[in-house]
Amino acid sequence: MASTARTSYTLIPNQKYRRSNRHSRQHCNIMDTDSQSLSTLGYFRTLPLEIFQMLLNYLSVKDISMLSMVSKTISNRLINYISTPSGNRRLLLQDFHNIELPGKRDGSYILEHYKSLGLLLKRCTLLLPTKDRLKYIHKILSEVSCFKLNGCPSPLHCLGLQCYGLFLQILTAGWDELECHRVFNFLCELSNLPRKVQTVVSSKPGSARKLELRIRLFCRSVLLNHWIHRSDSAFWLTRILKPWPMVNQARLLYIIFGPVSSLDGHVVWQKMIEGPTDETSLKGLADAIKLLYDTEAREWTADDVISLVDELSVVPREWLMENNARLLILSGNNICFTFMASKAVNGRAVELARLVVFLALVCEKDLYCMDWAVKMMQKVCKVFSTPGERNNFLQSVENAFAHMIMDMLQAVLSGDRDEEDISFLNLFHLVNAQANFHKEILYLTMRSNSNPI
């Protein structure tokens, strides 16, 4: 009895203990989940949310971006903070026009700020799909009017688009091509860029001057200027150009990289037609052509780029041949030779001969080595399939020199004094170019024919 009683007294409490243990374990699991979530906040878990957000005001944007990597819980709190009015005021600086504030010279401070903000949002949205990341970021930035293609009333004196471009460059660095395609499509949808481009490439050049300027600034400042690697620049430039036919690509390339007025920043359409231009006016176009010709621009063949150069030379009408020659020289040896070889293969020897003369003229005017022009002609001669074609081409070069000298001499004799000075200077350069060109040919011939003693 005693043992039975002891057994009964020992069993009952044990059974109760086991039941209560199962219940408490379930309760503890729930508590553990909450405590794990709270534990990821560290010492911040003891602070009310309002105090936590007040503390963030004492951290730099770089420090906040580092803090966002501590845990998912803190990252979510930071996302909420960015969306608050106080977070917006703190993070979305908008003094894009006050670029000479005391202690903040040249506006570099605000550019650095948006680079840091790009890193912060990159880290905060790391776990979201690309589509959701872009939607959230657009929601944050949508109130900044200077980030929009038509948003700023004074775009030439505004750093808004540059800040936006730096922000996007930091945000998308390391993303694969598919994600970057989505970014470009998202930006096109927000800015209505395709429709605006359609307007300017199908209108008379200069008839939509303000829109041309805004497209130029948006494409350069937001999409093109901030990349370190040429492959990235080639990718974004390809996205801008490829949706359009070749003739529109050439027009758009001129809008983005062509010469502009120093007074109002608008595209100068007559620059290549009215007279010889300088290297500065052509450098942007030449750099863009070289970028597309590089092996990193996988979507472009050599024929594509040469066709684009050909189309560019008639935008908005046929360029002066001297400006064509200067663009080819600035574009580099490979592009220049490929362009000339294309003319040789297609039976355009007379046009090619005139181009050789203008290459020599540009070398004389811009103080390039004349032996470069001679070696380029020598290389092109090898493209002709028969000696007869080559000889005809060389004869055409000499004829082109003679005809151009006679034309310039006639301009000197028939012009008034002001025009005579310009015409005489052109004649002077051309005669010197011919002399130096043939001197290099003689040197080359004598070297090849000389025998060692």
Side-chain angles (χ1 to χ4, degrees):
M1 294 285 296
S3 62
T4 304
R6 280 195 300 272
T7 303
S8 64
Y9 280 114
T10 54
L11 289 175
I12 292 171
N14 283 341
Q15 290 172 353
K16 285 184 178 181
Y17 174 77
R18 282 195 296 271
R19 288 193 205 101
S20 63
N21 186 40
R22 285 196 298 271
H23 178 74
S24 64
R25 282 177 181 172
Q26 291 174 359
H27 180 70
C28 286
N29 286 339
I30 297 171
M31 294 298 294
D32 286 346
T33 303
D34 294 338
S35 62
Q36 285 172 7
S37 177
L38 289 173
S39 67
T40 58
L41 288 171
Y43 291 111
F44 291 121
R45 70 178 182 274
T46 61
L47 297 176
L49 181 61
E50 293 80 4
I51 303 298
F52 174 77
Q53 292 181 353
M54 289 175 63
L55 289 176
L56 294 177
N57 292 327
Y58 294 90
L59 298 179
S60 69
V61 181
K62 287 184 179 179
D63 291 337
I64 296 175
S65 71
M66 290 294 292
L67 182 62
S68 69
M69 300 177 68
V70 171
S71 70
K72 184 178 179 181
T73 306
I74 286 184
S75 181
N76 288 337
R77 284 206 174 187
L78 292 176
I79 288 176
N80 292 333
Y81 165 72
I82 295 169
S83 303
T84 62
S86 61
N88 263 257
R89 285 193 301 272
R90 163 81 193 288
L91 297 174
L92 296 183
L93 303 182
Q94 297 191 41
D95 49 343
F96 302 117
H97 303 136
N98 302 320
I99 60 176
E100 295 182 356
L101 295 175
K104 300 177 180 180
R105 191 173 64 182
D106 298 333
S108 58
Y109 80 100
I110 198 167
L111 296 173
E112 288 298 320
H113 173 83
Y114 274 95
K115 286 174 69 174
S116 301
L117 183 61
L119 186 59
L120 169 59
L121 290 179
K122 183 188 187 82
R123 289 170 171 173
C124 283
T125 61
L126 189 63
L127 301 178
L128 296 176
T130 301
K131 185 177 180 180
D132 293 338
R133 294 176 91 171
L134 294 175
K135 284 183 177 180
Y136 169 74
I137 289 165
H138 169 61
K139 181 181 177 182
I140 297 298
L141 303 181
S142 60
E143 298 303 317
V144 184
S145 61
C146 289
F147 286 174
K148 300 173 184 178
L149 192 148
N150 285 321
C152 181
S154 181
L156 279 175
H157 305 97
C158 178
L159 289 176
L161 292 179
Q162 292 184 52
C163 290
Y164 192 30
L166 278 170
F167 172 89
L168 287 174
Q169 187 262 325
I170 296 297
L171 177 73
T172 59
W175 290 17
D176 61 33
E177 283 197 4
L178 180 60
E179 291 175 313
C180 291
H181 272 281
R182 289 172 179 160
V183 173
F184 180 75
N185 292 336
F186 188 77
L187 290 173
C188 285
E189 185 178 347
L190 290 180
S191 62
N192 207 9
L193 182 62
R195 179 171 291 183
K196 291 178 170 63
V197 169
Q198 178 66 53
T199 299
V200 296
V201 297
S202 58
S203 303
K204 183 181 178 181
S207 62
R209 298 168 70 236
K210 291 183 179 179
L211 185 56
E212 290 170 357
L213 172 61
R214 289 187 179 277
I215 288 174
R216 178 189 177 98
L217 293 175
F218 186 86
C219 289
R220 292 181 66 141
S221 298
V222 176
L223 300 174
L224 298 172
N225 283 357
H226 306 294
W227 298 104
I228 298 170
H229 303 293
R230 290 179 62 81
S231 57
D232 292 323
S233 300
F235 171 84
W236 291 100
L237 182 55
T238 300
R239 300 283 69 75
I240 294 170
L241 296 179
K242 272 295 183 180
W244 305 98
M246 187 67 70
V247 62
N248 290 343
Q249 288 178 14
R251 177 85 74 89
L252 186 53
L253 198 70
Y254 194 96
I255 289 172
I256 298 173
F257 296 105
V260 293
S261 167
S262 58
L263 298 176
D264 56 16
H266 292 128
V267 178
V268 182
W269 289 100
Q270 306 302 316
K271 186 82 169 180
M272 306 303 172
I273 302 165
E274 293 177 342
T277 188
D278 55 8
E279 291 184 5
T280 305
S281 299
L282 290 164
K283 189 177 184 306
L285 290 169
D287 288 344
I289 290 166
K290 284 190 285 188
L291 187 67
L292 298 178
Y293 193 83
D294 283 352
T295 54
E296 283 124 349
R298 298 188 299 273
E299 297 174 58
W300 297 84
T301 65
D303 287 342
D304 290 338
V305 178
I306 298 307
S307 297
L308 183 59
V309 174
D310 227 3
E311 286 288 349
L312 187 63
S313 67
V314 293
V315 172
R317 297 191 305 278
E318 188 173 357
W319 290 11
L320 294 182
M321 188 67 83
E322 182 178 330
N323 293 334
N324 254 331
R326 189 169 277 109
L327 176 65
L328 289 173
I329 291 174
L330 292 174
S331 298
N333 291 352
N334 291 335
I335 293 173
C336 184
F337 169 73
T338 306
F339 185 84
M340 296 173 73
S342 174
K343 292 189 181 299
V345 169
N346 290 305
R348 297 161 70 178
V350 174
E351 186 179 338
L352 178 60
R354 291 190 73 243
L355 179 57
V356 169
V357 173
F358 277 102
L359 288 174
L361 179 60
V362 172
C363 287
E364 177 66 26
K365 281 187 171 183
D366 296 354
L367 303 179
Y368 297 127
C369 294
M370 190 62 74
D371 68 335
W372 175 86
V374 172
K375 289 176 181 176
M376 186 62 69
M377 185 186 72
Q378 185 183 32
K379 190 176 179 181
V380 170
C381 282
K382 297 176 182 178
V383 175
F384 292 100
S385 56
T386 65
E389 290 178 342
R390 183 172 62 251
N391 292 339
N392 287 335
F393 164 65
L394 294 175
Q395 182 63 57
S396 296
V397 171
E398 295 306 313
N399 291 340
F401 267 116
H403 290 155
M404 285 181 58
I405 289 175
M406 292 302 295
D407 289 343
M408 288 188 179
L409 181 59
Q410 185 176 4
V412 169
L413 296 176
S414 63
D416 57 38
R417 181 170 182 180
D418 290 336
E419 292 178 353
E420 182 181 350
D421 290 340
I422 297 172
S423 300
F424 183 80
L425 187 60
N426 287 335
L427 178 61
F428 171 80
H429 283 307
L430 183 58
V431 171
N432 277 335
Q434 185 186 39
N436 289 323
F437 186 79
H438 286 101
K439 179 188 70 175
E440 293 297 334
I441 291 176
L442 289 174
Y443 285 163
L444 186 66
T445 304
M446 294 303 293
R447 280 196 298 267
S448 63
N449 291 337
S450 63
N451 295 316
I453 298 176

